[in-house]
Amino acid sequence: MASADKKTDGLLSPERRKALETTLRGIAGVGVAGALIATYERSAEAMPTQALRPPGALADERAFLSACVRCGLCVRACPWNTLKLADLGDHVATGTPYYVARKVPCEMCEDIPCVKACPTGALDHALVDINKAKMGTAVLVDEENCLNFLGLRCDVCYRDCPVIDKALTLEMESNPRTHKHAIFRPTVHAKDCTGCGKCEKSCVLEEAAIKVLPLRVARGELGHHYRLGWEEYQKNQGPLIKDVIDLPDRAPNDVTPPSGVPDAPPIIDPTKLGKGWKP
Amino acid sequence: MTAVSPTPRLNREARLAAQEKLPERSFLARNKFLFLRRLSQAGVFALFLTGPLFGVKIAEGTIASSMTLKVLPLTDPLMLLQMLAARHWPEGLALLGAAIVAIFYALVSGRAYCSWVCPINPVTDLAFWLREKLGFQAKGWQPKPETRFWVLAMVLVVSGVTGTIAWELVNPITHAFRVVVFGATASLTFVVAVFLFDLLVARRGWCSHLCPVGAFYGLLGSGALVKVSTHHRAACDHCMDCYAVCPEPHVISPALEGAKKGNSPIISSADCTTCGRCIDVCDRGVFRFTHRFDASETTTVPTVRSNCSGETP
């Protein structure tokens, strides 16, 4: 040590000073490394929207990364080679499982082998019905190029949907281009959509017009204090607030205001708009 | 106490040149445990590769967590600790797997993980071998061996702070595993980084100074049974071959040079990786594998330098 250290400054002997220096150096170096890893981790939480987690994956990405040990047992359990372990540069936290629906969608095995194989519960073992999986939700992202929206009868996404007529329906409306043909609008019902990605995979376009997006991207969320008046009215068998003056509803002549429900949206008479269509 | 005798180092070639009567030991005998270790390390990979390559599933998963023959779950206990630090309570399978692994290494030898299982060991051994071949003199940056415990603490703190198993983003061990078993070629970056670090920046830098996984297994195995003993330390001629080849040379001297102080001949430090390389290289048969309670030693000093099997020239 330097000669200055030979002089005890009253608090620290040279040995203790040296030990303290070494310790501080260790803490500083390791601390910087730790901060870098933590920062890297934060950026690794951001995933591209086409990367989907396996069925049952803990919904919060951070919760998922607290549980996933990147062992790849789910990848090995997948009989369809849907799942892939993220490599460096995949922009998904390294070593974690994901799939890209447009490449290989989830085939929704009834026994969910990937979830069963997960040793840590990063894929939640509470998921036993694959129809309850929420890997994402399909969104018809490009109405301008969807063949059905153009008035053609492609229907491929609809036909390929494992939860057909629940998660994906065709809604008929008039084709404003011809005024005499129909448009069968593929419509996703997120409540029943598992996000498997069969629709995105089967879309016949060069670039799919229907895509599965992670729920964080695809879904909005009501304010937690929001109450839907008509639902509350049903539950309460009457208005929640007593003695509200129910002013008369104003509506066009051909719509009938629903009776007894204050401020409910007017119901359009279906007989005047053509019959509902079922495939 | 001076740990090392002032006798100048004589390597095997020098001693042979000096016409010392050393026993003829075959190449195989001089590398027995090295070969066994490489076999063990390759065997670990082989168990995981038979499935993808030949359709015969033996072990599945990676070194982080695996399932063997659909009955034996194994999980890295350090991974479990990080998970707990990140505040996730795992399924029973991971708990059971981590318990099995922890008990095994705690009983057998903690750092046997490093020398017999870890896929990074051949990488850093190769870097060390190349250093020697290229005649690198400078040791480079040599952080204190205790640094790895700080790194271990950091790994757990980062898990706690980020709420994720963040260390797994950079852990070269699991990266190496995914390179081989899952074909994650880009992950090779971290493996190459460790190799270059050990080759160019710090001699024995990663495994012997920084790796938190090795630090963890060292702590785990501090009461382990399998130990190397300098049972015939009386025959030591201070050639220093064992020090030169040992990845953790500080573990040797308390036992090897400790006869006068009344130290046990057992190499008791938990830093010892029980790689057996010292047994391989010692021409005098000083070292052997034994258990921690076997303090027996051979005190007969050969008057004429001979081999340990008693052959006299």
Side-chain angles (χ1 to χ4, degrees):
Chain A
M1 291 299 288
S3 60
D5 283 340
K6 293 219 173 94
K7 195 176 70 181
T8 309
D9 62 6
L11 281 171
L12 295 173
S13 64
E15 294 75 27
R16 288 189 63 191
R17 172 184 285 270
K18 191 179 176 188
L20 196 66
E21 276 176 18
T22 312
T23 310
L24 282 176
R25 199 160 46 226
I27 291 175
V30 166
V32 169
L36 286 175
I37 293 175
T39 314
Y40 179 31
E41 192 284 324
R42 277 290 173 269
S43 62
E45 281 177 21
M47 283 201 297
T49 48
Q50 68 269 28
L52 301 170
R53 291 295 188 197
L58 298 176
D60 177 53
E61 176 65 6
R62 195 168 297 171
F64 181 76
L65 292 178
S66 76
C68 176
V69 293
R70 291 83 154 153
C71 65
L73 279 165
C74 54
V75 175
R76 289 287 185 248
C78 177
W80 303 93
N81 288 328
T82 299
L83 298 177
K84 186 177 180 304
L85 276 194
D87 196 355
L88 281 181
D90 284 355
H91 302 294
V92 175
T94 317
T96 56
Y98 75 103
Y99 70 99
V100 176
R102 188 66 165 169
K103 285 186 182 154
V104 192
C106 172
E107 293 287 342
M108 289 175 60
C109 310
E110 280 185 16
D111 53 345
I112 332 182
C114 49
V115 171
K116 281 188 186 150
C118 178
T120 67
L123 307 182
D124 194 346
H125 288 216
L127 179 74
V128 286
D129 177 3
I130 189 64
N131 290 314
K132 298 239 158 58
K134 286 270 169 265
M135 297 165 268
T137 190
V139 179
L140 202 137
V141 289
D142 190 357
E143 297 179 354
E144 292 174 7
N145 281 311
C146 171
L147 296 182
N148 271 37
F149 269 85
L150 294 174
L152 305 171
R153 291 301 305 271
C154 166
D155 295 4
V156 170
C157 56
Y158 166 76
R159 297 284 169 202
D160 225 18
C161 176
V163 202
I164 186 170
D165 284 332
K166 282 195 209 151
L168 194 51
T169 57
L170 293 180
E171 304 296 327
M172 190 182 76
E173 56 189 45
S174 175
N175 184 344
R177 181 167 58 83
T178 63
H179 293 295
K180 54 186 171 187
H181 298 97
I183 282 176
F184 293 93
R185 181 163 52 86
T187 305
V188 178
H189 304 273
K191 182 172 72 71
D192 291 306
C193 177
T194 62
C196 70
K198 295 281 281 183
C199 54
E200 183 179 341
K201 171 69 179 172
S202 64
C203 180
V204 300
L205 301 187
E206 288 293 313
E207 183 68 43
I210 189 165
K211 288 191 163 103
V212 175
L213 299 176
L215 293 175
R216 68 175 195 278
V217 177
R219 298 308 310 273
E221 192 176 355
L222 283 177
H224 293 257
H225 60 291
Y226 284 19
R227 296 293 176 269
L228 302 177
W230 52 96
E231 284 183 3
E232 297 302 320
Y233 190 94
Q234 292 284 326
K235 271 191 237 161
N236 198 43
Q237 294 297 311
L240 288 177
I241 305 165
K242 300 291 175 204
D243 308 322
V244 179
I245 306 162
D246 186 15
L247 295 172
D249 295 300
R250 283 184 292 174
N253 291 335
D254 58 346
V255 298
T256 322
S259 56
V261 182
D263 305 324
I267 295 167
I268 295 168
D269 185 353
T271 57
K272 295 204 165 66
L273 294 172
K275 281 189 166 178
W277 178 87
K278 285 281 168 284
Chain B
M1 172 203 148
T2 47
V4 177
S5 148
T7 317
R9 183 183 161 197
L10 295 170
N11 62 22
R12 182 182 170 81
E13 286 71 26
R15 275 180 285 137
L16 287 175
Q19 292 298 304
E20 271 198 74
K21 293 291 179 190
L22 280 170
E24 270 314 306
R25 293 168 71 230
S26 67
F27 182 71
L28 206 63
R30 280 184 285 120
N31 295 285
K32 186 171 97 181
F33 287 110
L34 182 64
F35 288 140
L36 285 174
R37 274 172 46 226
R38 294 290 177 257
L39 211 61
S40 162
Q41 288 155 346
V44 172
F45 276 136
L47 292 176
F48 285 90
L49 283 173
T50 53
L53 292 183
F54 311 113
V56 186
K57 292 178 178 177
I58 300 175
E60 291 190 280
T62 66
I63 202 164
S65 191
S66 64
M67 178 61 87
T68 302
L69 297 172
K70 301 204 186 298
V71 289
L72 176 67
L74 297 175
T75 298
D76 184 347
L78 178 57
M79 210 68 79
L80 180 75
L81 282 188
Q82 293 175 75
M83 198 187 300
L84 295 177
R87 297 174 295 282
H88 174 79
W89 185 251
E91 294 286 329
L93 211 54
L95 290 171
L96 177 65
I100 294 171
V101 175
I103 290 169
F104 174 81
Y105 285 107
L107 279 180
V108 177
S109 161
R111 293 204 66 196
Y113 173 88
C114 300
S115 55
W116 293 79
V117 176
C118 179
I120 288 297
N121 174 270
V123 175
T124 56
D125 271 1
L126 179 67
F128 179 73
W129 176 84
L130 205 57
R131 277 186 84 91
E132 300 284 292
K133 278 285 164 202
L134 297 174
F136 287 7
Q137 295 296 316
K139 284 181 171 182
W141 180 49
Q142 294 288 286
K144 295 257 183 243
E146 302 88 69
T147 312
R148 54 188 138 193
F149 297 108
W150 289 107
V151 180
L152 175 60
M154 175 271 279
V155 163
L156 294 174
V157 167
V158 168
S159 289
V161 169
T162 62
T164 68
I165 307 178
W167 165 245
E168 273 310 292
L169 293 172
V170 292
N171 184 359
I173 299 171
T174 43
H175 272 101
F177 223 86
R178 288 194 296 270
V179 170
V180 177
V181 178
F182 283 91
T185 42
S187 288
L188 201 57
T189 313
F190 278 95
V191 182
V192 173
V194 168
F195 174 77
L196 293 177
F197 176 75
D198 263 34
L199 180 67
L200 303 172
V201 180
R203 180 179 179 271
R204 296 260 190 224
W206 183 255
C207 299
S208 303
H209 296 87
L210 296 179
C211 178
V213 184
F216 170 78
Y217 278 94
L219 290 174
L220 183 65
S222 48
L225 292 174
V226 175
K227 294 283 169 188
V228 175
S229 168
T230 58
H231 78 108
H232 204 179
R233 56 190 171 186
C236 175
D237 64 351
H238 307 290
C239 72
M240 307 291 285
D241 278 357
C242 55
Y243 286 99
V245 85
C246 180
E248 303 277 354
H250 62 278
V251 306
I252 299 176
S253 50
L256 186 61
E257 324 283 350
K260 278 172 278 177
K261 292 183 77 181
N263 287 0
S264 159
I266 300 283
I267 293 176
S268 56
S269 169
D271 287 347
C272 171
T273 68
T274 54
C275 68
R277 200 72 187 109
C278 53
I279 307 175
D280 279 349
V281 298
C282 182
D283 283 327
R284 307 208 157 263
V286 168
F287 301 91
R288 72 171 178 195
F289 270 123
T290 183
H291 57 83
R292 67 181 295 126
F293 304 111
D294 172 26
S296 68
E297 70 177 299
T298 312
T299 47
T300 52
V301 184
T303 45
V304 182
R305 286 185 169 179
S306 70
N307 69 13
C308 55
S309 62
E311 179 200 327
T312 44

